Amino acid sequence: KEEERDTTEDDLLDDFFNDVEETNTTTTTATPEPTPETQSNNISKQLTKLGTPLSQINRLLPPNYEWKNLNPFYVLDIPHTAPLDIISRRYKALSLLIHPDKCSEKRAKEAFEQVRIAMTLLKEEEKRKHVHDLIEQGQKQGTRDYQVSRTTTTNPTLLSKEEEEKQLQSFQEKAIMKVFATIEQKRRDVERRKRAQEKRERDQEEEEKTKVKKEMEFHKRWREGDRVDLRVGSWRDFQGGDGGKKKKKSRWS
């Protein structure tokens, strides 16, 4: 069962990377950096921006969403530079929209779980900083990938500034997803090796228990056999000794 699970995880990761590579270079515009105006938005305004519960559920649960949602800022659909108060506000808005107690959509519980996990991660300062650094790393790699793509392409298409920004953003988004997926893959590899080691130890323990049990059974049978031989030998000695009694001679003999 563990081998089947590992194979399934590998297949899902391959599918995810294929999806990333096939993503169209003209993706949606990134959420703008927070400004004093956006920071002052209340929950109701955020709800208006988020759209319908179904649209958010579909956004949160696309194919291979377990890998795409590794980036908690992607899950909450806010920039990675957003402060904690904006993060908390977005979490509350999404909760009001798709919490299973408030939303009757079939996959609401599953979608909300993705939001809950993201918030749990981001509310801790150290983990939030780690996620921020990973996104920065992905953005830099995406920029390098974009520059290589533009310089190695024969007769590159002339793009407007807006189109260039969209292409750059697309490369950055792909690189960010790969950064998170690669780290998760390494984590799962460690868990896989750990499970394999634990299984070997359990098998060795069971093998040792089986060995001890067989030895005990052998000695038990040997002792029982020895007692039988002893009883048989004593009975033969007894019979050979005429039962410990001498027969009386008949007066006619």
Side-chain angles (χ1 to χ4, degrees):
K1 291 183 179 179
E2 290 183 354
E3 291 179 357
E4 291 178 359
R5 178 175 60 182
D6 293 339
T7 301
T8 302
E9 289 179 354
D10 290 340
D11 291 341
L12 289 173
L13 181 60
D14 290 340
D15 290 343
F16 167 73
F17 278 123
N18 290 334
D19 287 346
V20 170
E21 291 301 327
E22 293 171 5
T23 301
N24 195 293
T25 56
T26 56
T27 55
T28 56
T29 305
T31 305
E33 296 295 319
T35 64
E37 181 181 356
T38 58
Q39 290 185 23
S40 63
N41 283 344
N42 55 31
I43 301 298
S44 61
K45 289 183 179 180
Q46 289 212 29
L47 283 171
T48 302
K49 290 183 177 181
L50 289 172
T52 65
L54 183 58
S55 67
Q56 282 299 318
I57 290 172
N58 290 335
R59 180 184 70 83
L60 290 164
L61 302 177
N64 297 314
Y65 70 86
E66 298 92 342
W67 295 95
K68 292 180 180 179
N69 291 345
L70 291 171
N71 177 1
F73 285 103
Y74 171 84
V75 173
L76 298 181
D77 197 20
I78 53 177
H80 70 287
T81 54
L84 184 58
D85 62 327
I86 296 297
I87 295 172
S88 299
R89 198 172 299 158
R90 176 53 61 90
Y91 170 73
K92 291 177 182 177
L94 283 168
S95 297
L96 288 172
L97 198 65
I98 63 171
H99 193 286
D101 290 343
K102 303 180 181 352
C103 178
S104 60
E105 296 289 345
K106 291 182 179 179
R107 299 192 298 166
K109 182 178 181 180
E110 194 175 359
F112 176 73
E113 180 65 10
Q114 298 299 305
V115 175
R116 187 195 65 78
I117 292 172
M119 185 60 201
T120 300
L121 187 63
L122 292 179
K123 70 182 180 181
E124 296 186 29
E125 183 178 359
E126 185 176 345
K127 292 181 179 180
R128 187 167 67 251
K129 183 181 182 305
H130 178 61
V131 170
H132 177 277
D133 292 343
L134 291 177
I135 293 174
E136 294 282 336
Q137 175 187 334
Q139 286 182 332
K140 291 177 181 177
Q141 182 59 51
T143 301
R144 289 192 292 268
D145 294 342
Y146 171 72
Q147 291 170 345
V148 169
S149 174
R150 294 295 293 171
T151 56
T152 57
T153 301
T154 306
N155 299 322
T157 306
L158 292 177
L159 302 174
S160 66
K161 185 177 180 180
E162 182 180 355
E163 289 173 331
E164 286 184 353
E165 288 177 352
K166 285 185 176 181
Q167 274 204 356
L168 173 60
Q169 177 191 324
S170 175
F171 274 88
Q172 288 176 335
E173 289 174 350
K174 291 178 183 179
I176 290 169
M177 283 192 284
K178 285 183 178 180
V179 167
F180 280 92
T182 300
I183 290 175
E184 176 64 10
Q185 182 184 30
K186 290 179 180 178
R187 186 193 70 79
R188 294 189 181 193
D189 286 342
V190 171
E191 288 294 323
R192 187 181 305 175
R193 290 195 295 270
K194 182 179 177 182
R195 290 197 303 268
Q197 177 62 28
E198 290 174 348
K199 183 178 183 301
R200 285 194 295 270
E201 291 176 355
R202 288 196 303 270
D203 290 344
Q204 290 175 358
E205 186 177 350
E206 287 298 321
E207 185 179 346
E208 185 63 27
K209 286 181 179 179
T210 301
K211 181 180 178 181
V212 171
K213 183 178 179 181
K214 287 182 177 179
E215 289 178 351
M216 291 177 66
E217 290 175 349
F218 171 80
H219 288 299
K220 181 180 179 181
R221 289 195 300 269
W222 183 85
R223 288 193 299 270
E224 290 176 349
D226 192 45
R227 286 197 296 270
V228 169
D229 291 342
L230 182 61
R231 288 196 297 271
V232 170
S234 299
W235 173 252
R236 287 173 178 170
D237 291 343
F238 177 79
Q239 291 284 42
D242 293 328
K245 296 181 181 179
K246 292 183 179 180
K247 293 182 179 180
K248 292 183 180 181
K249 290 184 178 180
S250 169
R251 61 180 179 175
W252 303 109
S253 59

